[in-house]
Structure formats: structure tokens, C-alpha cells
Amino acid sequence: MVGGGDVTGEIEKLYVAVPQVRNIFYVMGKIGEGTFSSVYLAVARLKSGEDRKFALKHLIPTSHPTRIAAELQCLTLAGGEDNVMGVKYCFRKNDHVVIVMPYLEHDCFVDILHSLSFQEAKEYMYNLLKALRRIHQFGIVHRDVKPSNFLYNRRLKQYALVDFGLAQGTPDTQIELLKVLQAKKQGSCSQSNLHTMSGNIPVPREVVLPSSTKQSVKRHWSHSQINPGNNGKEGLLGGSTQRSVFGERNFNVHSVVPEANPEKKIKPSKITEAASRKLPARKSVPAKNTSEGVARKAASTGPTSQTCECYARDQVCNICLARSRQVAPRAGTPGFRAPEVLTKCPNQTTAIDIWSAGIIFLSLLSGRYHFFNAGDDMNALAQIMTIRGSRETVQAAKQFGKTVLCSKDLPAKDLRALCEGLRQVCLTPIPVPEYDVQKQRTALQTRMLENQDGWFRDETCVTPPANTSQSFNYTSPPAYSMHPGQCAPNGWDKVPDEAYHLLDRLLDMNPATRITAEEALSHPLFINLS
Ligand code: ADP
Ligand code: MG
Ligand code: ZN
């Protein structure tokens, strides 16, 4: 949580903007800040005399009223059960809206990633899938599934999916306002319905509304009294210092163009849109021959008429950047976007949330977060290809009506080898001579402790020096090399095949065959959890 001068000022502004808040809550500090909201930790005294913590989400005043109301409707109808965050109350004054939710103290994903046991990782995934099953049953596509939107209290084993700020409805959604949003997007924007929302928006669930204790509440609390821990760190403090597996690198994905198959015809978007986009000009090249010029021409003569310049370069070329864009929903966070989102497939389903859950599982299994870290969709797709294979990507894209061209054949990676390699699980057997296993083991461990720097890789694991393998025979079962207390296998030495099978099914490139949340919950990996 963040307190201090700036935040005190912000809290004061919140009190002024929505005075009802001050009557009931003492706002202690900020726990999250996104593009569309600020989230505060607040305390209120209940009728019973008990003090309870709440999370107050103050939406930016420029949010569309229907968008706000839809977020609220997702929380009220689908929330409060199966690890989906519920809502207690909502305040509105003019264009300011504050959503009051139960507060769930939570761990920052990146802080605990390396200390989680395999069992915990499995439980995390099970609970995430439970939340997804719940919202998908309501016809809600979350669109922004990622660790900072899935709160996890490790100690209490509590979980909550939050943030329906980008949610969309399936064609048969039960969330009426998501239908309204959909209709609005398709048709022209109808008049704002803000005025149909009255003062405080009642919530059709047992509303725990603390008694109005007015200013007296404030005196009972000080910032030093409650330490809510590390919550919201990811959003607030700029995230992890961890390296992602990928940086910004291009793997020669040439382009994504709508599939020429007439059966799955895709309406090309307006060429003028591409032509009017600003392109970075390279100053050293004469104006006539700049990529900008070429790109403009490419755009004006149609998206596929030019040979692109990406090959063997570490950036997506301007021709590709200038290709006409298809309008399709692409909200979300780049590293978690499904292939069909990256390629702007117009009919996106709940399967996009499953893909994001797969990316989280990939992080858990590999110990890397963020796993993918591309800034644009083309590079993000290229990064996915390096893991899932280029042919597989091309094939899958064809299924959902897109043509992906890739100049290089990238084989699909074996998921176990990839994750174990990245996690550097202590799987390397310590070579020990068969004649004296125990003596040798002790000797090796002593040497490890003496030479930690040279022996430790990625701070957690020990690997024997390269030359030892020649001088010893391997024994069975392998002796796991460990620095006491630092490299407890925590189950990571025995990750069952089922885990990688589920990962493979979550990260199915084709949304039509990708596993659903419901199916995933009965996957053999979770046999003793259900
Ligand atoms: P945004 O749309 O701005 O991302 P979120 O709803 O995701 O807003 O909330 C931002 C952050 O605030 C979350 O990542 C989380 O750290 C914190 N947060 C949100 N809701 C709660 C809650 N009910 N309990 C505790 N923390 C919460
Ligand atoms: Mg969020
Ligand atoms: Zn190109």
C-alpha cells in the first residue's frame, strides 16, 4: 500500500468528489492504480462494532457510464462465489463512481513465484479455472486475466478474480449491460445513460453497509495501525524486476493477413485508416525511398501488394506496420493475449481467458514472469511461435480465418523441457562413483557450500561443474543436488506429465479446440482437488 503526501491529497479529493465515502469509511491508502481506476484500502465500523476492511475502486470520471454499470453488473451477478470478487455497495456522485468490495489481502505474484510449491501452483490454477468457469457460465469474457487481476492470499488459500473493466459478453450473455455495450459498439453510440443512474447504486446482494460513523471513525485509525502488506504492488510500483523470457525481439513473422478463404471472408478494414497512421521515418534515407514512403504506398495499394522488409531485421517493418487494420477487440495485456486476439479475429470467445490462464500456468511452471513481454501484437505472436511452433501457428490461424506468414520454420518446443530448463529445477543428477555414493555426495555438498557463486545458477539451484560428469558414472536414483533450505524441490522435481498436458491444452493455438474451464477442472491433474 502506498501512503504519503501525494496519496493523502488524492484521498482528500476522493472524499470531496464522493462525500458519502467519508461518512462511512476511513481511507487508509492506495492499493492499486490502473489506467481506468484507483483502488484504496478503507476501513469501516460495522453495526456490530467490528471494524472491517474494504477495497474502494474509484473509476476515472471519464469512463463511459454503461461501461461502469456493466462492470458492476458482472460483480453483482457473477461475483461473490467461486473465487469471483463480489461487491458490497456502490456510490455515485455526478460522474464519480466508487465500487465497494470486500478487501482481500493478497500476495504479489512475482514475489512468491519462486517459493511456491508445485502443489500450491496446482491449487492456484484450479482456483483460477473455477473463477473462469463461473464467469463463463454467465457469458462473461473477462479479457484481462493476469496475476494482478486474480488476487491470491497464500496463507489463507483465498482467491478472487477482480476487474471486469474490460469484460465483454458472449452472444448469449446473461449480463444485460454487456449486451448493451456490444450493441453500442456495433451501432452508433446512443445517449449516455448516466442520468438514469440514481445517487447511490443499490446492489442486489446482502449489502453490509456499515453504520454511518462520520468523522469519529477517522480518529480510530492511523496508517501505522494496520499494515496491509504488499498489496497491489504490481500495478502500483511498476512491477517486477524479473527478466521475462522474451524481450522485444522479432522472429521474422512477416505479417498477419486475413485468410483468403471465401467461406471465412473477413471484411477488410478501411485502407485510409492505415494510410493516415503515423509512421516513424528513418532520417538517413532520402525521403522518396523511406520506408514511410513505401509503407504509404503499400497502404494505398492494398495490404498485401508489397513484399515486406522484416526478414532478418529485429523490428517489424513499416510495411507491416502500415497494413490495413481489422477492427476487432484487442483489449488486455500484451503478454496474455491469445493468438486470435493478436491476429484480430473478430469472433472472440471465452477461450481467450483460457489462453491467458495458460500463460499464467506457463509462468508458474517455468518460474518466469512475465513470460512474454512484447510491446506489439506482431512481436507477441512471434514469441508465441517460438514456443508453439510456426507451422502449428499457421495451421491454427487458418482455422480461425487468418493467414500468418512466417519466413522461418520454428519447431514447437517440448513444454516440460522448456519449463524445467527455465526453472532450472535441480534435476541434474550429481555424478557419484558407484563404489561410494554417500561419501562422494558429502564431498560434493561441502564443495558446493564453499563455492556457492560458481555453483549456483539463478540463485536457487546447484549444478555440478561440467567436467565432473566425465569422471563419474551416474547412479540411480539420482541424488538431487541442493543447497540446504534454498533449493528444496517443493515438488518441482516430480511435476507429473498431466501438468504439461493441461498446459498444452490451455495453450491450444486454436480457440475452437482449446480446453474450456469446465473441462479443465476435471483434468486428471486436479484429480485429488475436486
Ligand atoms: P484496474 O482496472 O485499475 O486494473 P483492478 O480492479 O484490477 O483495477 O484493481 C487494481 C488493483 O487493486 C488490483 O490489482 C489489486 O491489487 C487491488 N484490488 C482490487 N480489488 C481489490 C479487492 N477487492 N481487495 C484487495 N485488493 C484489491
Ligand atoms: Mg486490473
Ligand atoms: Zn514486414
Side-chain angles (χ1 to χ4, degrees):
M1 185 177 69
V2 170
D6 279 0
V7 172
T8 310
E10 275 185 57
I11 293 170
E12 202 43 52
K13 276 188 198 154
L14 172 67
Y15 285 145
V16 172
V18 192
Q20 304 98 305
V21 168
R22 201 204 289 268
N23 296 340
I24 295 164
F25 298 99
Y26 171 61
V27 181
M28 299 173 64
K30 204 176 199 177
I31 47 178
E33 186 173 62
T35 325
F36 305 108
S37 77
S38 294
V39 182
Y40 300 91
L41 170 61
V43 178
R45 180 148 298 167
L46 305 186
K47 279 185 185 136
S48 63
E50 182 199 345
D51 291 314
R52 183 156 317 158
K53 291 181 191 169
F54 292 88
L56 269 48
K57 182 167 179 172
H58 180 207
L59 297 149
I60 57 157
T62 50
S63 306
H64 194 283
T66 315
R67 190 13 97 199
I68 295 173
E71 176 167 1
L72 201 56
Q73 202 168 50
C74 289
L75 289 165
T76 53
L77 296 179
E81 243 170 88
D82 282 349
N83 305 324
V84 181
M85 179 54 72
V87 60
K88 291 295 182 194
Y89 206 73
C90 185
F91 297 109
R92 178 178 79 82
K93 194 191 171 205
N94 301 328
D95 48 359
H96 288 271
V97 175
V98 173
I99 298 176
V100 181
M101 295 169 276
Y103 173 71
L104 176 59
E105 189 174 345
H106 51 283
D107 294 282
C108 170
F109 187 76
V110 78
D111 287 353
I112 58 166
L113 182 57
H114 283 126
S115 64
L116 287 176
S117 67
F118 173 67
Q119 178 66 21
E120 287 174 304
K122 195 165 96 173
E123 287 168 10
Y124 180 104
M125 285 308 296
Y126 184 78
N127 283 285
L128 171 59
L129 289 162
K130 218 163 143 178
L132 293 180
R133 177 180 59 188
R134 169 93 183 160
I135 65 160
H136 292 170
Q137 278 166 348
F138 279 82
I140 302 171
V141 185
H142 186 282
R143 297 201 68 89
D144 201 14
V145 173
K146 58 179 176 179
S148 61
N149 286 337
F150 186 58
L151 313 185
Y152 172 42
N153 184 312
R154 187 181 187 180
R155 190 173 53 87
L156 301 173
K157 287 190 189 292
Q158 285 179 357
Y159 311 81
L161 182 65
V162 298
D163 198 355
F164 291 87
L166 294 174
Q168 281 183 345
T170 58
D172 57 348
T173 184
Q174 293 172 41
I175 313 296
E176 285 303 318
L177 289 167
L178 290 179
K179 277 189 201 159
V180 175
L181 274 182
Q182 204 72 17
K184 270 205 164 91
K185 231 179 13 185
Q186 277 154 11
S188 61
C189 202
S190 69
Q191 228 200 326
S192 144
N193 66 351
L194 183 63
H195 304 293
T196 62
M197 291 160 74
S198 58
N200 293 337
I201 300 156
V203 173
R205 199 168 273 277
E206 28 74 77
V207 176
V208 178
L209 237 208
S211 60
S212 176
T213 43
K214 303 220 160 97
Q215 299 293 350
S216 63
V217 182
K218 197 164 180 172
R219 273 180 261 121
H220 294 295
W221 302 98
S222 76
H223 286 279
S224 58
Q225 270 180 294
I226 295 172
N227 175 13
N230 244 349
N231 308 298
K233 194 170 167 186
E234 186 181 280
L236 202 57
L237 302 178
S240 79
T241 50
Q242 251 232 327
R243 268 188 311 126
S244 59
V245 177
F246 293 93
E248 278 292 338
R249 210 147 70 80
N250 181 274
F251 295 87
N252 297 322
V253 184
H254 265 198
S255 56
V256 183
V257 292
E259 168 82 334
N261 185 348
E263 276 170 28
K264 297 170 182 166
K265 209 171 166 188
I266 288 153
K267 230 169 72 188
S269 51
K270 279 182 203 141
I271 285 159
T272 47
E273 184 202 346
S276 64
R277 281 179 67 198
K278 269 194 185 154
L279 295 168
R282 262 187 264 129
K283 282 176 189 149
S284 54
V285 187
K288 256 193 240 166
N289 298 328
T290 55
S291 307
E292 183 173 8
V294 177
R296 283 245 164 85
K297 192 168 167 244
S300 62
T301 54
T304 52
S305 60
Q306 285 280 327
T307 312
C308 107
E309 298 173 345
C310 289
Y311 186 73
R313 300 218 331 243
D314 65 351
Q315 271 184 344
V316 175
C317 76
N318 284 334
I319 294 171
C320 286
L321 288 174
R323 286 180 198 281
S324 63
R325 293 197 293 171
Q326 182 164 38
V327 182
R330 62 178 293 271
T333 307
F336 295 90
R337 274 183 205 141
E340 66 272 26
V341 180
L342 295 171
T343 55
K344 303 186 176 73
C345 184
N347 3 302
Q348 298 171 15
T349 66
T350 51
I352 69 166
D353 291 341
I354 297 297
W355 175 276
S356 308
I359 298 294
I360 298 180
F361 199 24
L362 186 57
S363 273
L364 288 166
L365 291 171
S366 67
R368 296 301 179 100
Y369 184 77
H370 299 86
F371 196 92
F372 293 122
N373 202 14
D376 65 79
D377 290 351
M378 210 78 98
N379 282 316
L381 190 65
Q383 294 181 349
I384 290 172
M385 272 194 204
T386 65
I387 305 286
R388 303 304 276 155
S390 51
R391 274 187 222 176
E392 289 79 355
T393 305
V394 169
Q395 194 63 35
K398 212 171 169 179
Q399 304 292 316
F400 53 80
K402 294 284 179 175
T403 303
V404 173
L405 305 174
C406 183
S407 58
K408 215 158 119 186
D409 191 29
L410 301 160
K413 290 220 164 39
D414 175 75
L415 293 172
R416 177 187 286 275
L418 171 76
C419 292
E420 286 180 353
L422 291 168
R423 192 171 256 283
Q424 288 166 341
V425 188
C426 311
L427 284 177
T428 321
I430 296 182
V432 273
E434 270 162 2
Y435 58 87
D436 193 352
V437 175
Q438 196 49 53
K439 194 171 154 195
Q440 194 59 44
R441 190 177 297 178
T442 314
L444 276 168
Q445 281 177 348
T446 312
R447 278 172 52 203
M448 283 179 224
L449 293 172
E450 283 165 1
N451 303 297
Q452 287 187 7
D453 289 348
W455 283 75
F456 280 76
R457 253 206 260 152
D458 207 22
E459 295 155 43
T460 48
C461 291
V462 176
T463 39
N467 62 359
T468 22
S469 56
Q470 276 114 47
S471 47
F472 300 116
N473 297 317
Y474 285 101
T475 55
S476 182
Y480 291 103
S481 52
M482 252 190 276
H483 176 40
Q486 261 212 299
C487 189
N490 267 339
W492 292 106
D493 53 335
K494 304 192 267 292
V495 176
D497 288 339
E498 285 81 2
Y500 294 105
H501 179 265
L502 177 62
L503 178 65
D504 181 60
R505 296 291 295 111
L506 296 167
L507 295 180
D508 185 340
M509 298 290 293
N510 181 359
T513 51
R514 195 174 299 149
I515 198 166
T516 64
E518 171 92 63
E519 289 161 357
L521 287 167
S522 16
H523 189 275
L525 177 67
F526 301 129
I527 204 125
N528 45 14
L529 289 180
S530 35

